[in-house]
Amino acid sequence: NAGVMQNPRHLVRRRGQEARLRCSPMKGHSHVYWYRQLPEEGLKFMVYLQKENIIDESGMPKERFSAEFPKEGPSILRIQQVVRGDSAAYFCASSPQVLNYEQYFGPGTRLTVT
Amino acid sequence: DAKTTQPNSMESNEEEPVHLPCNHSTISGTDYIHWYRQLPSQGPEYVIHGLTSNVNNRMASLAIAEDRKSSTLILHRATLRDAAVYYCILTNYGQNFVFGPGTRLSVLP
């Protein structure tokens, strides 16, 4: 059973460009979470999605950031008009259920904005 | 904000037991205690979780205080591969995980 997959692993964007980060959850998992980790800091929750639904986006900036988890295909975290402050590691996690189940994390996408 | 308090860093010698403490004095009756660890340049990895009783798995043991206001993650024999940041997290149904700064564990050969 393959683990959570994220791609790309590294992404470089110039200021003002768009960044698209992809996450394929583990097989059988219908819950996806996105986190952001700034250098030398802990992970910060961004958004929690189930198939075709955003359940909790309380940690996501109101502007420029969006997330989706379509019926088919991976979950996408989209950052429009990136700024230097968006440079971070973005981790995706998945779980089979939400009730206090462990989350399985992917290797992360390291976004660098130049 | 994280609802747990952990020491910033700890050191251990290889092949010795390690006790990583976590205080969670405001824990509610339905909060589970989860532990994750993050190795350098990797995503967090689940270690163990529990509610009231002590728990054991192949990776570690979790000792939960009787009043549940604190817990201890026990690594029975630390190896160099256990060097990581360890996060203690309280979770409840429908709530997202809140990661604090964690404890950076160094393992000395």
Side-chain angles (χ1 to χ4, degrees), chain A residues 9 33 35 37 40-45 48 56 58 91 98-108 110, chain B residues 30-32 34 36 38 41-46 49 87 91-101 104:
Chain A
R9 294 291 307 276
Y33 313 80
Y35 296 82
Q37 186 173 34
E40 303 302 319
E41 292 189 16
L43 280 77
K44 303 295 184 190
F45 167 80
Y48 158 44
D56 180 356
S58 58
F91 291 98
V98 69
L99 182 56
N100 296 305
Y101 258 73
E102 55 263 37
Q103 295 182 12
Y104 297 83
F105 283 80
R110 278 152 183 81
Chain B
T30 53
D31 279 336
Y32 279 71
H34 281 238
Y36 283 73
Q38 187 174 21
S41 300
Q42 295 187 28
E45 174 188 29
Y46 168 80
H49 79 285
Y87 299 101
T91 71
N92 204 329
Y93 180 81
Q95 291 182 351
N96 58 72
F97 281 20
V98 178
F99 284 79
R104 184 174 298 276

Side-chain angles (χ1 to χ4, degrees), chain B residues 70-109:
Chain B
S70 65
S71 61
T72 302
L73 178 70
I74 303 166
L75 306 179
H76 296 286
R77 289 184 63 190
T79 69
L80 297 178
R81 288 177 296 178
D82 291 323
V85 178
Y86 286 79
Y87 299 101
C88 169
I89 302 165
L90 299 185
T91 71
N92 204 329
Y93 180 81
Q95 291 182 351
N96 58 72
F97 281 20
V98 178
F99 284 79
T103 296
R104 184 174 298 276
L105 175 66
S106 301
V107 180
L108 307 176

Side-chain angles (χ1 to χ4, degrees), chain A residues 16-86:
Chain A
Q17 291 184 321
E18 178 180 287
R20 279 186 179 239
L21 287 61
R22 294 174 186 77
C23 168
S24 296
M26 287 182 69
K27 187 177 180 181
H29 288 194
S30 58
H31 301 259
V32 166
Y33 313 80
W34 285 94
Y35 296 82
R36 177 166 63 176
Q37 186 173 34
L38 297 172
E40 303 302 319
E41 292 189 16
L43 280 77
K44 303 295 184 190
F45 167 80
M46 298 182 73
V47 61
Y48 158 44
L49 309 103
Q50 293 182 30
K51 285 283 187 182
E52 300 184 278
N53 286 305
I54 296 175
I55 307 301
D56 180 356
E57 56 182 348
S58 58
M60 201 148 71
K62 294 286 185 284
E63 297 179 357
R64 303 188 298 108
F65 285 73
S66 63
E68 62 177 10
F69 188 16
K71 187 176 180 182
E72 302 290 338
S75 175
I76 307 283
L77 179 67
R78 183 180 176 208
I79 311 172
Q80 295 178 289
Q81 299 176 322
V82 296
V83 300
R84 288 224 172 97
D86 297 331

